[in-house]
Amino acid sequence: MIEAPVPAGLIRDLRTLRLRNVRQLWRFTLLGLALLVVGFALTLSVGQSVTPPMDVIRVLLGEGAPGDTFTVRELRLPRAVMGVVAGMCFGLAGSAFQVLLRNPLASPDIIGISAGASAAAVCAIVFFGASGPTVSAVAILSALGVAVLVYVLAWRDGVASGRLILVGIGVAAMLQSVVAYSLSKAPAWGLQEALRWLSGTLNGASLGQVGPLLAALVIGGGVLLTQSRALAALQMGDDAASAIGVPVAQTRILVVLSAVAVIAVATAVCGPIAFVAFLARPLASRISGAGGPLLLLSALTGAVLVVAADYTGQFLLPARYPVGIVTGALGAPYLLYLIARIHRKGALS
């Protein structure tokens, strides 16, 4: 059987369309970067007091007045940097999960990974009096363990996204009951610390805490970005990806391990900042109108979300709220809408 040649005009049109999509994606990526820079600058300059932009620059160059130096360098800069890096971690890893499993519900918030870190951290705080790096280490190990458990429980001649999500929701529900039980047994000092951790907050941020977070973003995020083309192929289905030479099984394992590691470290440092991983890619896709993995744009969207939500919770509401409370208020309605839409389509059946 002789196959008809593909018309040259069709090839040219496809190349033009692809180039247009790439240009559109880069335009919105640059726009996201600009919004992030503006939000970062606003966070450094405007709070309970206003520090003029030129004074902020002087402080960053080591030439500012003592009062401005303390306000900007000790209070605002660590919080802003941590918000940016944590938001990029959540957005990047959440996007990788959603693309890999081809389901907008496949977020660490939904499938139990964040709940695993939360349950272990709260138990460590309440029952063992742990704090600081110990809590972070326990949260990271627990998140990795829960990811493996969900993957194993969902395995049946492969892992279907709907089955993994349902298993993850069940595991998350059990872990939330562990959190509730631990809080009911917590002494006053342990209860306050556990609730602070569970809310997801940038309070008490220091540049020393940013180091592990930045390492996770550079290493784990770098691995995810190298798998961008493979993830784009997997969006078409495993068979299609395999047909064009993508090692499906290896790619899945590499992406899952990298994304879980990034999420685990971010959660361990800042607590489970709710729904950022869940919201980042859908927002990036709707705003840009582009398809594909959108990993970099999702990372920028996650960073903008965290910085904006933290600023809102600190200065634009009648009382001060941790960043996780604000992002939770934004994400919960979208989750209900998405579940209702998927239920109508029967996507989880």
Side-chain angles (χ1 to χ4, degrees):
M1 181 177 180
I2 301 176
E3 296 184 358
V6 179
L10 178 59
I11 296 176
R12 184 173 59 253
D13 291 343
L14 289 174
R15 287 176 177 172
T16 302
L17 180 61
R18 183 174 181 272
L19 182 60
R20 186 183 306 155
N21 288 336
V22 170
R23 287 175 176 171
Q24 181 180 0
L25 179 59
W26 275 109
R27 280 198 298 268
F28 280 97
T29 299
L30 293 175
L31 176 61
L33 182 60
L35 288 174
L36 182 58
V37 170
V38 170
F40 187 83
L42 181 66
T43 300
L44 294 183
S45 183
V46 182
Q48 288 184 316
S49 62
V50 177
T51 305
M54 290 306 300
D55 289 347
V56 172
I57 294 174
R58 291 190 187 96
V59 168
L60 296 179
L61 294 176
E63 301 173 356
D68 291 339
T69 298
F70 177 77
T71 300
V72 174
R73 186 177 294 175
E74 301 299 326
L75 298 180
R76 294 176 182 171
L77 182 61
R79 190 182 193 108
V81 172
M82 183 176 289
V84 169
V85 180
M88 293 187 75
C89 286
F90 284 116
L92 182 62
S95 177
F97 271 112
Q98 290 168 339
V99 173
L100 181 68
L101 298 173
R102 299 191 295 278
N103 194 308
L105 287 177
S107 161
D109 304 291
I110 309 300
I111 62 176
I113 295 172
S114 297
S118 299
V122 170
C123 288
I125 292 170
V126 171
F127 297 117
F128 301 99
S131 62
T134 302
V135 175
S136 299
V138 168
I140 292 170
L141 293 175
S142 179
L144 294 171
V146 169
V148 172
L149 176 63
V150 170
Y151 198 88
V152 169
L153 291 177
W155 181 272
R156 188 184 302 166
D157 297 326
V159 176
S161 65
R163 186 164 61 246
L164 185 141
I165 290 168
L166 291 175
V167 169
I169 290 172
V171 171
M174 290 189 292
L175 292 170
Q176 289 297 338
S177 68
V178 173
V179 171
Y181 173 78
S182 301
L183 293 177
S184 70
K185 298 296 183 181
W189 63 269
L191 179 62
Q192 184 177 4
E193 179 65 16
L195 288 175
R196 188 198 69 81
W197 195 92
L198 284 172
S199 64
T201 180
L202 303 179
N203 292 341
S206 68
L207 291 178
Q209 294 175 303
V210 175
L213 201 57
L214 188 59
L217 178 63
V218 171
I219 298 172
V223 171
L224 292 175
L225 290 175
T226 64
Q227 299 301 308
S228 181
R229 291 195 176 187
L231 284 171
L234 285 171
Q235 282 187 297
M236 301 182 295
D238 291 358
D239 292 338
S242 181
I244 60 175
V246 175
V248 174
Q250 295 92 318
T251 299
R252 282 184 178 276
I253 293 173
L254 187 60
V255 169
V256 167
L257 289 178
S258 301
V260 170
V262 170
I263 283 288
V265 174
T267 303
V269 172
C270 304
I273 300 179
F275 291 121
V276 175
F278 175 63
L279 286 172
R281 187 178 184 277
L283 285 177
S285 179
R286 284 183 177 274
I287 292 171
S288 68
L294 302 180
L295 296 181
L296 183 57
L297 184 56
S298 297
L300 292 172
T301 304
V304 171
L305 274 174
V306 172
V307 171
D310 184 57
Y311 190 85
T312 299
Q314 293 299 302
F315 303 113
L316 302 183
L317 297 176
R320 290 196 170 191
Y321 297 97
V323 60
I325 301 297
V326 180
T327 57
L330 291 173
Y334 182 77
L335 174 61
L336 294 175
Y337 158 75
L338 191 60
I339 290 176
R341 192 181 73 177
I342 290 177
H343 178 70
R344 286 195 301 268
K345 292 181 178 180
L348 289 178
S349 60

